Amino acid sequence: MSEVITLRLLEDSSIHTAIKKCIQCGTCSASCPLSHYMDYTPRKIVNMLRNGMYNEVLKSKTIWLCSTCYLCAVRCPAKINLGEFMISLRRHALSNGYNNAQEYLKLIKTYAEFIEKYGRISEAMLMINYSLKTNPVKAIKMIPFALNLMKNGLLSLRVEKVNDFQVVKTKT
Amino acid sequence: MGMNNSIGYYPGCSCSKNGLAKYYGESTVKILEHLGLKVSEIEDWNCCGSSLYRVIDEKKAYLLAGRNLVLAKKKSVEKIVVPCPACCISLTKTLQKIREDKELEKKFVEVYNTGKEDLSRIVVKHVVDFILNDVGLDKIEENVKNKFEDLKVGVYYGCQITRPYASFDDPEFPSSLERILSTTGVATIESAMKTKCCGGLLMLTNEEEVLKIIEKIMNSYIDRGAQCIVTACPLCHLNLELAKNILMKKYDVRYDIPILYFTQILGLSLGLESRDLGVSREDFEKISRKIVLTARR
Ligand code: SF4
Ligand code: SF4
């Protein structure tokens, strides 16, 4: 991993704070509803960063398995928000071309396309587009659920377009 | 409520008219109108960006969410009521970030000609917070027409309604919903899992893991006799519905209970029509036997 990337990662405020303040108590890992599905617990991820294991962290399943439930954040004795920390790590993984979380990346891409085109999203369309891209068989299994939505007047395939929406073209 | 005009409503994509939680949005608005509060939808609002857009571009994500604050400010809105906890977090976080981050504030001035001073008066509130602490239980009690008798309601908050920024209730063991629902006569069922995360968007990417979690959450209510479960989050509602459909194939009727928005129960109690609240006929049949009419004024 190049030094530039490392530096950018460490300058990210939520990552920086965690590395600086974590006391390795493990409260986050004990609280996390997803920790037993993760390859490294949330506490361990912080420690790995402290030990320069950037590659391993950005390749981990953990960063994509956080549901941003913020239980760790409200319990952490050092007031670290690991939910935000995980989002930042995802951003660094994405921008540095780590593509081991294919499904999630496709979800993000589909989502971004909607925002950039309309300024709003349609969950129904998002779910359909995403399923077709990732798992067409599952998309077929979803049909009864979709019919049920339709029966209840909930399957709108329309998306309203936001007027005067320049923000997505802004250079940041 | 002297400053009715300054209350804005931000539906967000899920609770808007093309969203899967449109009945949550509609029942929210109906209730507030019924209670005499004038809330106006923020015109031309856009998606809050949720946690997803921040993975792509952090600064742009704040500009995206912030556009809604700018629109609200232009209409002199001081309080924004939001039914979706995730939208609430995006908007609140953006406000917080503009206050702390000089560079971001500069960007806001550059793009929107609006700085932190302009936005400093805006307060973002989840609808549970707004109903309990701004509208108040007295006002609701005055307007209750139907009381439920013996309806056992599992109260499920999900994770983001009280976390991480909300300060109106305990982040792990909140009681706001129980207090609101106490006006309707229902018996609320407690669960130690009431703020356990439903898995959120991971339902799409990691279905197997998420289903296991939701099954446990639903069991924690059903085992204690819940006849329906209420939520206050569009994503919790959707995930419970999806899980219920899958679990019913596996276990049949055990999981066949209505998943409702708390605003639907409250609305029925206030005397609003089930179809105006988006309560399906089947669900209404299951819970309506438990309604008795109290004396009308
Ligand atoms: S709870 Fe906070 S201090 Fe404890 S290990 Fe987790 S991040 Fe570190
Ligand atoms: S915010 Fe993420 S890391 Fe923290 S407890 Fe929730 S799922 Fe686990």
Side-chain angles (χ1 to χ4, degrees):
Chain A
M1 191 159 165
S2 86
E3 272 173 42
V4 186
I5 297 173
T6 315
L7 191 68
R8 244 189 256 142
L9 187 114
L10 298 179
E11 273 177 356
D12 204 304
S13 72
S14 61
I15 298 174
H16 180 83
T17 314
I19 293 180
K20 201 165 127 201
K21 293 198 181 152
C22 174
I23 54 170
Q24 289 289 298
C25 67
T27 306
C28 47
S29 307
S31 311
C32 180
L34 277 314
S35 65
H36 30 266
Y37 304 110
M38 293 170 168
D39 39 6
Y40 312 103
T41 60
R43 176 202 60 80
K44 201 161 185 181
I45 291 281
V46 180
N47 203 28
M48 286 163 77
L49 289 176
R50 279 182 173 165
N51 288 290
M53 298 166 73
Y54 309 116
N55 245 316
E56 288 83 348
V57 167
L58 296 184
K59 269 198 321 218
S60 73
K61 282 196 202 132
T62 299
I63 62 173
W64 303 100
L65 266 172
C66 164
S67 65
T68 52
C69 77
Y70 300 110
L71 188 54
C72 55
V74 297
R75 285 185 175 177
C76 172
K79 298 199 162 56
I80 294 163
N81 187 336
L82 282 194
E84 291 306 315
F85 163 92
M86 297 290 184
I87 293 175
S88 297
L89 287 173
R90 285 176 193 176
R91 186 167 55 248
H92 290 281
L94 180 68
S95 63
N96 293 308
Y98 288 79
N99 57 2
N100 51 320
Q102 280 302 330
E103 305 242 310
Y104 208 98
L105 296 181
K106 278 181 190 147
L107 177 64
I108 292 180
K109 239 186 119 206
T110 318
Y111 183 85
E113 280 163 13
F114 269 100
I115 296 214
E116 277 147 27
K117 198 158 163 202
Y118 302 104
R120 291 184 192 171
I121 60 154
S122 148
E123 298 154 304
M125 295 287 285
L126 182 72
M127 281 165 77
I128 293 168
N129 286 6
Y130 168 78
S131 308
L132 291 175
K133 272 187 205 166
T134 51
N135 190 344
V137 180
K138 203 175 131 201
I140 293 169
K141 276 206 244 155
M142 296 272 295
I143 291 175
F145 187 73
L147 290 176
N148 203 24
L149 290 176
M150 205 187 283
K151 193 181 86 194
N152 291 321
L154 280 172
L155 199 70
S156 164
L157 298 182
R158 292 191 41 190
V159 199
E160 278 187 22
K161 203 171 166 157
V162 172
N163 302 315
D164 184 25
F165 191 64
Q166 291 305 312
V167 20
V168 291
K169 293 188 197 107
T170 326
K171 277 238 170 339
T172 52
Chain B
M1 301 291 306
M3 298 187 299
N4 276 354
N5 288 335
S6 61
I7 302 170
Y9 172 69
Y10 176 79
C13 303
S14 303
C15 303
S16 72
K17 66 173 186 270
N18 294 316
L20 294 179
K22 84 164 170 185
Y23 296 135
Y24 183 22
E26 283 179 9
S27 54
T28 296
V29 172
K30 287 261 157 63
I31 287 176
L32 296 178
E33 278 171 359
H34 185 80
L35 294 171
L37 289 143
K38 199 175 157 286
V39 286
S40 32
E41 184 167 316
I42 295 171
E43 233 173 277
D44 205 37
W45 59 269
N46 61 271
C47 174
C48 76
S50 75
S51 62
L52 290 179
Y53 210 78
R54 257 185 288 145
V55 178
I56 298 170
D57 185 332
E58 190 180 22
K59 207 179 269 177
K60 210 180 264 186
Y62 292 128
L63 286 168
L64 189 73
R67 179 177 175 275
N68 299 300
L69 302 170
V70 174
L71 291 174
K73 149 85 202 355
K74 279 191 189 140
K75 297 270 177 188
S76 311
V77 164
E78 285 178 4
K79 201 171 276 175
I80 307 178
V81 181
V82 187
C84 172
C87 295
C88 230
I89 289 180
S90 294
L91 299 177
T92 309
K93 189 174 170 57
T94 304
L95 268 179
Q96 194 178 312
K97 204 72 186 171
I98 297 171
R99 282 189 203 118
E100 292 165 0
D101 186 336
K102 281 210 179 76
E103 223 179 286
L104 183 70
E105 202 213 349
K106 241 205 245 150
K107 199 81 200 171
F108 264 77
V109 175
E110 184 191 315
V111 178
Y112 297 125
N113 206 7
T114 307
K116 68 176 170 197
E117 300 304 322
D118 304 308
L119 300 177
S120 65
R121 298 254 291 273
I122 295 183
V123 179
V124 178
K125 279 205 168 208
H126 187 267
V127 63
V128 167
D129 181 10
F130 184 73
I131 288 181
L132 182 65
N133 301 312
D134 292 55
V135 178
L137 294 184
D138 291 347
K139 178 106 186 172
I140 298 171
E141 252 149 25
E142 260 168 48
N143 285 281
V144 162
K145 289 216 175 68
N146 308 318
K147 288 251 186 191
F148 288 89
E149 207 168 68
D150 293 334
L151 179 68
K152 297 198 184 80
V153 176
V155 183
Y156 178 53
Y157 289 80
C159 60
Q160 293 191 333
I161 186 169
T162 53
R163 300 198 292 259
Y165 308 114
S167 53
F168 69 95
D169 209 336
D170 187 274
E172 289 188 56
F173 299 102
S175 58
S176 298
L177 276 171
E178 283 87 343
R179 291 174 62 201
I180 292 173
L181 291 171
S182 70
T183 59
T184 68
V186 299
T188 52
I189 303 281
E190 281 267 349
S191 154
M193 296 180 83
K194 67 182 177 180
T195 60
K196 187 101 181 164
C197 174
C198 73
L201 289 169
L202 296 179
M203 181 60 129
L204 289 172
T205 57
N206 302 70
E207 185 184 291
E208 209 180 300
E209 292 88 336
V210 169
L211 277 176
K212 279 186 208 151
I213 296 175
I214 301 185
E215 185 174 339
K216 291 201 188 94
I217 293 173
M218 289 187 74
N219 284 343
S220 77
Y221 293 104
I222 294 172
D223 287 346
R224 303 193 60 199
Q227 292 155 321
C228 69
I229 295 177
V230 299
T231 64
C233 168
L235 201 48
C236 289
H237 189 279
L238 177 61
N239 278 358
L240 259 56
E241 274 290 340
L242 282 164
K244 172 179 143 178
N245 274 271
I246 296 167
L247 290 170
M248 270 165 60
K249 281 193 201 112
K250 232 162 115 189
Y251 304 105
D252 210 23
V253 292
R254 175 175 162 82
Y255 294 94
D256 189 16
I257 61 171
I259 314 291
L260 299 167
Y261 301 107
F262 84 99
T263 42
Q264 293 176 315
I265 292 280
L266 183 57
L268 288 172
S269 199
L270 293 171
L272 299 170
E273 295 291 329
S274 60
R275 61 168 183 283
D276 290 337
L277 298 163
V279 181
S280 73
R281 186 183 300 235
E282 288 151 50
D283 285 350
F284 185 67
E285 269 164 21
K286 286 192 186 119
I287 59 171
S288 60
R289 269 167 278 149
K290 312 283 182 181
I291 301 180
V292 291
L293 290 174
T294 49
R296 280 172 196 267
R297 273 168 263 259

